[in-house]
């Protein structure tokens, strides 16, 4: 069964690139959200196999969204992969506090990103 | 002893020569006895045949016997007195004996038997029997000598002589000799005689010790003495001895005797020849006094004098002296060591001749002080201790320390033994030390960081103002605390560990970043640097600690980290889009879908532009903040600056359908034109981005040349003092956009602090534009600020000095 993933990023271009990568190279279905609030609403209403989450976003950043997803029974079991340009040590220290499946650093290779996602989630490739 | 035997032999020879009484008196007491006996025996032998025919009474009445001071008794061998001749010279008054009385009748049996035994022995042997016996007469002890002369066949002649006087003299002589011997021993004085005729040497016991010979052995010969003598002393002694023997020349020499242990003994050896009436020496007599200690003392004294002189002459920049005050002569030097010349440039002999010379090099003020001290020392015999200044031959001031101790001598003279040494270096060191201490005190007190001295138990011993201010405690409060009490509990363990290692000598210093708790309860992060000071025995005295408030540093570090983080993020974001879009295009997946391919291409291009802008802004900001490329100030036409700025944004204004309204100002300004254009361009660009289509953006410049104009501008913001004096130039960029929330009015000038994080994406900003503007304005000593009304628009102001 085809996987369905939610891509959350306030950067339109990055959303587009990730969406194309996952759909074209992995054949997965994707939904996109430009903000935390939009993502939370979608996650609560749409069955999802995973969420690719940007951290630096206005209004509700990735940390807050993670906390909100884990607090909600409908969304707390959805695996989350952080897709972020914050790759310094102090950022990683903060990520360690999050209950996420993995972290993928920006910039990423669009051809193989789906393989990284599958590996982190234990999906067959 | 040989000498004594010799004398006895002489007496024996004389016996047969003369019998005259005067001759007896010319010899000693011992000789009297012998001669007396010789006479009696001679007479006895001469009369032996006729004794039986002559009445015995006639024997003791002979005139010659009457002259003798002895008591003479003729006694029968059975003890019966047959005849008695007494004399008034005899000290004992005899009882009135009857002739014919027997000694057994009045003598104690023991004494009577002693006398009878002596008589029997004399008659039996034909030899004189001699015995002494004591008598106590009228409580006084008297010594008598009895000589029992046989008168065969049955009589004896008992000659009783009083020896009391002789005994007393002998006792006195023994005492005198004992005293002399004792005195000689005490004085280490030996005496000797050398009989030239007999070639016999006679030594007192001390002499044996002087020469290292055994007193139990006979005196050594001249050859043995010569061997013991120091080789250098042998010649002089032999010469002197030869002269004494040959010509009776007395001599006195200091001789060195080397005893068997190798030790050198010094002797004061004196010889006095004894001459015969012809003036020829017959005997050498002398004394020997051990003077080793004196010689050693003399040698030590000479050595000490030489040493003292050497010290005095070689004192580095100093000299020793002796000065005397004599009531009738005043002050004069008796000794000055050579060092005075190197110290004061005066020759010792010149100062000895003219003591006044030394005053010529002293400073007047110090000489007056010295005179007072010397006078007081003269009056009270207190030591003189002075530090005075001299003027050297090169004109420099030289410091001397003078110390002398007075002694009062006979005749009212006072002597000072003194020392003057150069202490110029010491004075300089003292001054340097004082200066150093003062510098330390000032540095300690005024250091911009906290400094403390802490006891090994952690108690504060001394804290400076910086320490107090940082922690909010008064000095007194801190001195009643230990560092443990004000250290954050979470940091105490690490702090104590370092402190213990320091005390144990494992480390010399330690550095630590820790937190103190201020008096107000706040947490103050500090960097501490601690070192231990030990005493001369290596025991810990105290720790000296520096603490530095690192709140600002931490803040800067945080800012730096945040900047790096933000820059990293801001760079990676467009790169992600570029990398992603190109990566997808590169696979050819959109080869047959040109619309999607173009979309990817647009993403790559727009993000590349964004990346370029970002890199340019970062570099621009770095140039401005580093100061490595200072702005080049020149005279600018304000109108031209405005025109160029407007020109560079006209295209985007047209694209956004925003009108630009410019109110130029014909003024000259000293500034960096490119930087000012960049500032105006950034502000105009922002205004256009946040304006809606159909709205207007105004660029206005005003010249504030009067107090009134300035006052109206001051209502807009608080200007720095230097911007409160006209003339000033005020740029204003006004838009009709969405406005800026009040809480963002300040922070938008910070790096990457946009009102909305998505602005960088949507409006093409980098988040550095206003930061760059503020830096440029600040480098023109100007001021930038913004006023805004949400929903109505904003106005950015730039106030600049430098109007020409």
């Amino acid at each position: 069964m085809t996987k369905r993933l939610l891509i959350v990023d306030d950067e339109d271009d990055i959303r587009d690139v990730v969406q194309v990568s996952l759909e074209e190279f992995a054949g997965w279905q994707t939904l996109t959200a430009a903000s935390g609030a939009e993502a939370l609403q979608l996650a609560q209403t749409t069955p999802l196999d995973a969420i690719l989450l940007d951290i630096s976003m206005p209004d509700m950043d990735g940390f807050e969204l993670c906390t909100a997803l884990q607090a909600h029974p409908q969304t707390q079991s959805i695996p989350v992969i952080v897709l972020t340009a914050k790759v310094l040590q102090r950022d990683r220290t903060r990520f360690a506090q999050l209950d996420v499946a993995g972290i993928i650093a920006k910039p990423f290779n669009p051809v193989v990103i789906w393989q990284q996602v599958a590996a982190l989630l234990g999906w067959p490739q | 002893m040989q000498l004594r035997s010799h004398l006895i032999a002489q007496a024996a020879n004389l016996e047969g020569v003369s019998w005259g009484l005067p001759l007896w008196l010319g010899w000693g007491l011992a000789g009297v006895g012998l001669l007396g006996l010789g006479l009696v025996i001679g007479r006895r032998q001469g009369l032996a045949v006729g004794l039986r025919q002559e009445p015995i009474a006639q024997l003791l009445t002979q005139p010659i016997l009457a002259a003798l001071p002895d008591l003479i008794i003729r006694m029968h061998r059975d003890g019966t007195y047959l005849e008695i001749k007494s004399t008034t010279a005899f000290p004992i008054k005899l009882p009135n004996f009857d002739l014919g009385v027997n000694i057994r009748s009045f003598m104690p049996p023991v004494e009577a038997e002693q006398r009878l035994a002596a008589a029997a022995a004399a008659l039996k042997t034909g030899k004189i029997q001699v015995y002494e016996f004591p008598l106590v007469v009228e409580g006084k002890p008297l010594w008598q000598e009895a000589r029992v002369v046989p008168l065969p066949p049955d009589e004896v002649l008992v000659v009783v002589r009083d020896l009391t006087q002789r005994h007393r003299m002998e006792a006195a002589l023994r005492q005198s000799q004992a005293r002399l011997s004792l005195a000689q021993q005490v004085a280490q004085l030996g005496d000797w005689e050398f009989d030239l005729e007999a070639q016999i040497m006679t030594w007192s016991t001390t002499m044996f010790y002087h020469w290292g010979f055994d007193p139990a052995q006979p005196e050594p010969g001249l050859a043995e003495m010569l061997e013991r003598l120091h080789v250098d002393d042998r010649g002089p002694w032999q010469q002197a001895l030869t002269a004494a023997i040959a010509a009776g020349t007395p001599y006195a020499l200091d001789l060195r005797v080397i005893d068997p242990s190798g030790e050198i003994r010094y002797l004061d050896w004196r010889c006095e020849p004894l001459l015969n009436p012809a003036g020829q020496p017959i005997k050498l007599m002398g004394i020997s006094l051990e003077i080793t200690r004196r010689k050693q003392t003399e040698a030590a004294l000479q050595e000490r004098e030489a040493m003292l002189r050497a010290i005095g002459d070689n004192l580095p920049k100093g000299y020793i002296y002796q000065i005397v005050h004599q009531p009738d002569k005043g002050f004069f030097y008796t000794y000055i060591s050579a060092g005075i010349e190197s110290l004061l440039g005066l020759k010792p002999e010149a100062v000895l001749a003219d003591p006044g010379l030394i005053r010529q090099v002293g400073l007047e003020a110090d000489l007056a002080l010295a005179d007072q001290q010397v006078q007081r020392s003269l009056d009270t015999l207190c030591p003189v201790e002075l530090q005075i200044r001299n003027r050297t031959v090169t004109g420099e001031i030289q410091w001397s320390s003078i110390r002398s101790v007075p002694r009062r001598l006979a005749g009212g003279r006072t002597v000072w033994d003194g020392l003057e040494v150069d202490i110029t270096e010491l004075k300089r060191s003292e001054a340097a030390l004082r200066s150093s201490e003062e510098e330390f005190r000032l540095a300690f007190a005024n250091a911009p960081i906290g400094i403390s001295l802490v006891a090994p138990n952690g108690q504060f011993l001394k804290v400076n103002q910086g320490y107090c201010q940082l922690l909010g405690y008064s000095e007194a409060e801190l001195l009643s605390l230990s560092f443990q009490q004000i250290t954050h509990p979470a940091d105490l363990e690490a702090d104590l560990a370092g402190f213990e290692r320091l005390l144990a000598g494992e480390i010399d210093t330690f550095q630590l970043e820790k937190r103190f708790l201020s008096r107000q309860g706040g947490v103050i992060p500090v960097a501490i640097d601690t070192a231990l000071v030990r005493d001369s025995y290596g025991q810990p005295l105290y720790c000296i600690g520096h603490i530095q408030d690192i709140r600002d540093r931490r803040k800067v570090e945080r800012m730096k980290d945040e900047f790096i983080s933000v820059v990293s993020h801001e760079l990676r974001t467009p790169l992600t889009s570029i990398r992603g879009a190109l990566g997808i295009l590169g696979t050819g997946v959109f080869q047959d879908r040109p619309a999607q391919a173009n979309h990817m291409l647009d993403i790559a291009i727009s993000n590349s532009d964004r990346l370029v802008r970002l890199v340019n802004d970062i570099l621009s900001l770095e140039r401005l903040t580093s100061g490595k490329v200072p702005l080049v100030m020149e005279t600018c036409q304000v109108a031209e600056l405005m025109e160029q700025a407007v020109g560079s944004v006209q295209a985007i204004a047209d694209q956004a359908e925003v009108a630009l309204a410019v109110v130029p100002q014909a003024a000259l300004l000293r500034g960096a034109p490119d930087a000012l254009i960049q500032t105006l361009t950034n502000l105009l660009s922002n205004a256009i981005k946040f304006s809606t289509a159909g709205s207007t953006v105004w660029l206005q410049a005003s010249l504030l040349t009067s107090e009134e104009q300035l006052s109206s501008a001051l209502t807009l913001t608080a200007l720095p003092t230097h911007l409160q004096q006209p003339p000033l130039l005020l740029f204003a960029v006004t838009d009709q956009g969405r406005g800026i929330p009040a809480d963002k009015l300040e922070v938008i000038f910070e790096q990457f602090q946009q009102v909305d994080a998505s602005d960088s994406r949507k409006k093409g900003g980098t988040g550095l534009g206003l930061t760059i503007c503020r830096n440029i304005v600040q480098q023109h000593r100007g001021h930038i600020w913004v006023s805004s009304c949400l929903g109505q628009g904003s106005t950015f102001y730039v106030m600049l000095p430098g109007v020409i």
Side-chain angles (χ1 to χ4, degrees):
Chain A
M1 191 171 172
T2 306
K3 304 290 185 187
R4 180 185 291 153
L5 290 87
L6 173 62
I7 302 162
V8 188
D9 202 308
D10 64 328
E11 290 276 344
D12 300 343
D13 295 344
I14 292 177
R15 267 200 323 275
D16 287 354
V17 168
V18 176
Q19 192 170 23
V20 168
S21 296
L22 299 183
E23 288 180 355
E24 293 292 333
F25 303 120
W28 296 336
Q29 293 181 10
T30 60
L31 300 171
T32 60
S35 70
E38 187 186 351
L40 192 58
Q41 195 269 330
L42 269 172
Q44 288 170 351
T45 56
T46 311
L48 296 171
D49 293 303
I51 298 174
L52 261 64
L53 176 63
D54 181 27
I55 290 294
S56 300
M57 294 187 295
D59 302 330
M60 179 187 278
D61 66 12
F63 294 107
E64 292 169 310
L65 179 57
C66 251
T67 305
L69 288 169
Q70 284 164 4
H72 202 285
Q74 273 186 286
T75 57
Q76 64 186 2
S77 60
I78 304 173
V80 174
I81 291 173
V82 171
L83 188 60
T84 182
K86 287 188 172 294
V87 293
L88 300 182
Q89 185 57 43
R90 58 193 295 264
D91 302 318
R92 290 186 178 278
T93 307
R94 287 194 72 190
F95 298 153
Q97 298 164 3
L98 296 174
D99 184 13
V100 295
I103 298 165
I104 296 175
K106 294 177 182 174
F108 53 84
N109 183 335
V111 181
V112 298
I113 186 174
W114 69 273
Q115 293 171 348
Q116 289 176 277
V117 172
L120 287 169
L121 298 174
W123 294 347
Q125 297 178 30
Chain B
M1 304 290 279
Q2 292 176 8
L3 177 65
R4 208 157 295 130
S5 308
H6 181 68
L7 287 171
I8 290 169
Q10 278 188 322
N13 291 338
L14 288 168
E15 185 181 0
V17 174
S18 174
W19 292 82
L21 187 58
L23 190 62
W24 303 356
L25 300 174
W27 292 89
L29 198 57
V32 172
L34 288 169
L35 292 176
L37 285 174
L39 169 68
V40 171
I41 291 167
R43 288 292 298 170
R44 181 70 187 91
Q45 288 169 342
L47 294 171
V49 177
L51 270 177
R52 297 185 194 283
Q53 290 81 28
E54 290 182 35
I56 198 72
Q58 290 181 355
L59 178 62
L60 298 184
T61 55
Q62 290 184 39
I64 192 167
L65 292 179
L68 290 174
D70 305 324
L71 169 68
I72 303 174
I73 300 168
R74 189 163 61 87
M75 186 181 77
H76 190 269
R77 66 188 306 157
D78 65 0
T80 304
Y81 282 178
L82 302 175
E83 191 179 5
I84 297 172
K85 183 213 74 80
S86 187
T87 170
T88 53
F90 195 75
I92 306 169
K93 187 179 179 184
L94 293 172
N96 193 19
F97 294 120
D98 292 329
L99 291 179
V101 68
N102 193 289
I103 58 173
R104 295 177 191 273
S105 65
F106 62 88
M107 273 190 191
V110 174
E111 292 181 19
E113 289 306 320
Q114 182 190 25
R115 283 146 179 77
L116 290 173
L123 287 170
K124 184 181 178 181
T125 63
K127 292 181 179 175
I128 299 169
Q129 303 295 309
V130 181
Y131 60 92
E132 291 185 6
F133 60 95
L135 282 177
V136 178
V137 178
E138 295 174 354
K140 294 179 182 173
L142 299 175
W143 272 95
Q144 308 298 312
E145 180 194 69
R147 292 176 179 268
V148 182
V149 181
L151 295 177
D154 295 314
E155 293 176 11
V156 292
L157 203 60
V158 181
V159 181
V160 181
R161 177 171 291 184
D162 179 44
L163 297 181
T164 303
Q165 190 62 26
R166 196 187 87 190
H167 269 259
R168 284 178 186 159
M169 288 178 68
E170 284 176 350
L173 182 61
R174 279 196 300 275
Q175 282 185 1
S176 174
Q177 284 177 332
R179 280 197 298 271
L180 177 62
S181 174
L182 184 63
Q184 286 184 341
Q185 283 178 17
V186 169
Q188 288 291 300
L189 184 67
D191 61 273
W192 57 275
E193 287 182 10
F194 182 56
D195 190 311
L196 297 175
E197 287 181 9
Q199 290 292 301
I200 294 171
M201 180 70 88
T202 308
W203 279 10
S204 68
T205 307
T206 305
M207 285 289 297
F208 287 86
Y209 293 120
H210 283 181
W211 286 78
F213 290 106
D214 183 357
Q217 299 298 317
E219 284 85 344
L222 290 178
E224 288 174 278
M225 291 175 69
L226 206 56
E227 279 181 15
R228 288 283 164 95
L229 214 49
H230 190 283
V231 66
D232 293 343
D233 294 346
R234 289 174 188 173
W237 184 57
Q238 282 178 304
Q239 278 184 348
L241 187 61
T242 304
I245 293 170
T249 309
Y251 68 89
L253 290 171
D254 285 351
L255 298 180
R256 282 167 290 179
V257 173
I258 302 170
D259 78 1
S261 69
E263 194 176 326
I264 292 182
R265 188 173 292 125
Y266 286 85
L267 300 178
D268 179 352
W269 184 265
R270 290 166 192 266
C271 170
E272 196 67 42
L274 185 65
L275 308 178
N276 63 11
Q280 294 166 327
I282 56 170
K283 190 182 285 189
L284 301 182
M285 303 171 72
I287 58 161
S288 167
L289 178 65
E290 180 172 356
I291 54 170
T292 307
R293 192 166 294 174
R294 194 186 83 197
K295 281 285 184 185
Q296 287 171 341
T297 305
E298 282 175 3
L301 193 61
Q302 285 171 356
E303 198 175 316
R304 195 165 300 172
E305 278 184 2
M307 183 178 74
L308 192 63
R309 195 170 292 275
I311 290 172
D313 289 348
N314 294 292
L315 267 179
K317 289 237 171 186
Y319 67 97
I320 56 176
Y321 63 90
Q322 189 175 71
I323 190 167
V324 178
H325 177 266
Q326 196 166 310
D328 57 337
K329 288 178 68 177
F331 288 96
F332 57 92
Y333 287 97
T334 52
Y335 173 72
I336 298 176
S337 70
I340 192 172
E341 188 163 3
S342 63
L343 183 67
L344 301 178
L346 299 171
K347 290 190 179 299
E349 53 272 22
V351 180
L352 285 168
D354 181 6
L357 284 176
I358 210 161
R359 297 181 68 85
Q360 293 178 6
V361 297
L363 294 194
E364 278 300 324
D366 294 357
L367 286 176
L369 188 70
D371 289 343
Q372 288 175 8
Q373 274 231 22
V374 170
Q375 187 60 47
R376 189 160 62 244
S377 179
L378 182 61
D379 295 340
T380 66
L381 290 183
C382 64
V384 175
E385 290 184 25
L386 278 171
Q387 290 187 351
I388 65 162
R389 287 163 295 174
N390 297 310
R391 183 167 281 112
T392 66
V393 286
T394 57
E396 294 172 359
I397 296 299
Q398 171 264 327
W399 276 94
S400 276
S401 167
I402 296 176
R403 181 177 166 77
S404 64
V405 180
R407 291 177 281 138
R408 193 84 81 203
L409 302 182
R413 287 185 306 147
T414 308
V415 175
W416 287 264
D417 299 304
L419 169 72
E420 177 171 350
V421 289
D422 185 15
I423 56 165
T424 309
E425 282 303 317
L426 179 67
K427 283 285 181 186
R428 283 185 190 139
S429 299
E430 283 178 355
L433 181 63
R434 276 198 302 275
S435 171
S436 172
E437 285 176 345
E438 180 63 10
E439 283 171 11
F440 175 76
R441 193 188 65 75
L442 288 172
F444 187 89
N446 303 322
I449 58 173
I451 306 178
S452 67
L453 303 185
V454 175
N457 65 359
Q459 183 79 29
F460 285 107
L461 300 172
K462 192 173 172 68
V463 290
N464 74 343
Q465 201 55 35
Y467 217 97
C468 298
Q469 284 172 353
L470 181 59
L471 300 180
Y473 285 99
S474 70
E475 185 179 349
E477 286 171 335
L478 273 178
L479 295 184
S480 68
L481 295 169
S482 66
F483 77 84
Q484 296 94 325
Q485 291 173 283
I486 58 169
T487 296
H488 192 287
D491 297 339
L492 188 56
E493 188 179 345
D495 198 3
L496 285 176
F499 197 67
E500 290 300 324
R501 291 186 68 200
L502 199 64
L503 292 177
E506 295 172 17
I507 49 176
D508 295 328
T509 62
F510 85 95
Q511 295 78 34
L512 180 75
E513 287 190 4
K514 64 178 235 183
R515 288 162 292 178
F516 270 130
L517 301 174
S518 72
R519 191 177 190 281
Q520 293 73 25
V523 175
I524 315 282
V526 296
I528 66 168
D529 194 335
T530 306
L532 182 65
V533 177
R534 296 178 183 274
D535 64 15
S536 54
Y537 302 103
Q539 293 301 309
L541 274 181
Y542 55 80
C543 283
I544 182 161
H546 294 169
I547 61 167
Q548 201 160 6
D549 183 359
I550 56 171
R551 282 176 294 186
D552 288 345
R553 200 186 81 195
R554 288 257 170 103
K555 188 177 171 189
V556 168
E557 285 172 355
R558 270 198 307 276
M559 286 171 63
K560 191 179 83 178
D561 288 348
E562 280 169 13
F563 177 75
I564 291 170
S565 176
V566 168
V567 168
S568 166
H569 180 265
E570 293 302 312
L571 288 170
R572 283 171 180 272
T573 297
L575 272 173
T576 301
S577 298
I578 296 166
R579 173 74 180 88
L582 293 178
I584 291 166
L585 284 173
T587 62
V589 69
F590 291 141
Q591 201 165 12
D592 302 326
R593 288 176 280 179
Q596 282 90 337
N598 283 337
H599 179 56
M600 288 296 117
L601 207 52
D602 287 343
I603 288 175
I605 291 168
S606 66
N607 279 280
S608 295
D609 292 342
R610 181 178 162 188
L611 193 58
V612 169
R613 287 197 301 276
L614 185 61
V615 169
N616 284 340
D617 280 356
I618 289 171
L619 291 175
S620 195
L621 187 62
E622 202 280 331
R623 274 198 300 271
L624 287 167
T625 54
S626 71
K628 289 177 185 168
V629 187
L631 297 179
V632 179
M633 301 295 180
E634 55 188 77
T635 301
C636 311
Q637 287 282 354
V638 174
E640 277 184 24
L641 298 177
M642 296 171 75
E643 189 181 329
Q644 286 192 34
V646 168
S648 65
V649 298
Q650 189 64 58
I652 61 167
D654 293 344
Q655 192 179 357
E657 299 176 17
V658 172
L660 289 176
V662 180
V663 182
Q665 176 68 47
L668 290 175
L669 181 73
R670 182 149 187 85
D674 290 344
L676 290 174
I677 291 167
Q678 185 181 3
T679 302
L680 294 177
T681 302
N682 281 353
L683 294 176
L684 285 169
S685 176
N686 283 348
I688 293 165
K689 285 176 198 168
F690 293 100
S691 293
T692 53
S695 63
T696 302
V697 168
W698 285 270
L699 171 60
Q700 189 173 359
S702 312
L703 199 55
L704 309 179
T705 55
S706 67
E707 296 291 340
E708 291 76 18
Q709 290 171 324
L710 186 59
S711 297
S712 63
L714 286 176
T715 61
L716 303 173
T717 188
L719 287 168
T721 311
H722 71 275
L723 292 176
Q724 293 178 12
Q725 295 292 324
L728 297 162
L729 185 72
L730 181 65
F731 287 112
V733 177
T734 304
D735 64 60
Q736 295 172 303
R738 68 189 186 196
I740 302 166
D743 62 333
K744 299 280 189 181
L745 290 176
E746 292 290 334
V747 297
I748 56 171
F749 292 100
E750 303 296 332
Q751 299 162 3
F752 303 110
Q753 295 292 333
Q754 289 148 314
V755 174
D756 186 333
S758 61
D759 288 344
S760 62
R761 177 183 68 252
K762 292 173 182 168
K763 309 297 181 186
T766 61
L768 294 173
L770 287 178
T771 309
I772 291 169
C773 290
R774 187 180 62 178
N775 261 280
I776 292 171
V777 172
Q778 284 175 344
Q779 293 201 37
H780 283 80
R781 292 174 55 79
H783 186 59
I784 185 169
W785 74 99
V786 62
S787 67
S788 183
C789 185
L790 277 175
Q792 295 184 18
S794 307
T795 300
F796 283 80
Y797 295 97
V798 173
M799 180 82 88
L800 294 171
V803 175
I804 299 171

